[in-house]
Amino acid sequence: MSAEKLTQDEAKRLLEMVKRSLVATIDFPSRGKTKEFDVIGDTKKDVFSINIYRAKIQPFKYNFGARIKKNGTMLLELHINQSAVHRNPDGEKITGNHWHIYTEDYGRNYAFPADDVQSDLFIDNAIKFLEEFNVVEKPTIVHQMEIL
């Protein structure tokens, strides 16, 4: 499905809406894999998908994303990658870990530094992402340490 443009007020309402997970437990993905689960907001029509992607080669490169399930509009992303370089529409260069928060003007193309995350703290960053997306009933996140 294609994403639709939201007003800034609607995007803010959806981001700030209290949500709860529809699953009790989620396994952190193994390298090169993606996991996805749904959260629900105020009504049955307010369903969102949370996606966790983990890079295959770089163990500390991973992304979290939250989108509106019915139309695919990405509302919030957290990219964990110390060597990432993102260029904003205004030309500003963001280096390292960064957030994408939907805006009416730029969609999800504008990034902000994520100075408060550390690449090796998988579970802490997952919880931080869910808190930023206002998921108050979170799943338990299972992560098995791997030999790097």
Side-chain angles (χ1 to χ4, degrees):
M1 289 186 217
S2 64
E4 66 182 49
K5 188 169 183 172
L6 302 173
T7 66
Q8 193 62 47
D9 288 341
E10 179 67 3
K12 182 178 178 186
R13 182 188 75 78
L14 293 171
L15 284 163
E16 292 177 352
M17 177 186 297
V18 171
K19 301 164 196 83
R20 60 182 173 81
S21 177
L22 294 177
V23 299
T25 304
I26 182 86
D27 293 324
F28 200 84
S30 57
R31 291 182 183 187
K33 302 293 183 190
T34 299
K35 295 282 183 163
E36 189 166 291
F37 64 98
D38 291 341
V39 298
I40 191 165
D42 295 337
T43 68
K44 288 182 182 179
K45 72 177 184 138
D46 293 316
V47 180
F48 308 89
S49 289
I50 305 285
N51 179 287
I52 305 171
Y53 165 76
R54 186 162 174 214
K56 187 172 187 170
I57 306 290
Q58 296 175 303
F60 298 119
K61 178 181 176 184
Y62 51 100
N63 300 331
F64 300 98
R67 64 180 168 76
I68 302 170
K69 187 158 182 151
K70 69 180 176 185
N71 67 19
T73 301
M74 189 66 71
L75 294 172
L76 181 68
E77 290 179 285
L78 176 58
H79 293 196
I80 306 294
N81 181 357
Q82 292 295 345
S83 61
V85 177
H86 174 87
R87 189 162 305 276
N88 281 330
D90 64 1
E92 177 187 19
K93 189 166 76 170
I94 305 295
T95 304
N97 303 331
H98 58 274
W99 292 94
H100 290 269
I101 300 174
Y102 182 93
T103 65
E104 185 175 2
D105 293 335
Y106 297 109
R108 50 97 30 226
N109 293 323
Y110 206 89
F112 305 90
D115 298 327
D116 57 343
V117 298
Q118 293 180 8
S119 298
D120 59 339
L121 301 177
F122 299 113
I123 304 300
D124 292 352
N125 293 336
I127 292 169
K128 187 178 298 276
F129 177 83
L130 292 171
E131 287 174 351
E132 185 71 25
F133 196 53
N134 211 19
V135 178
V136 296
E137 291 182 28
K138 300 168 193 57
T140 300
I141 302 166
V142 179
H143 176 270
Q144 183 173 351
M145 293 299 293
E146 300 173 346
I147 298 174
L148 301 177

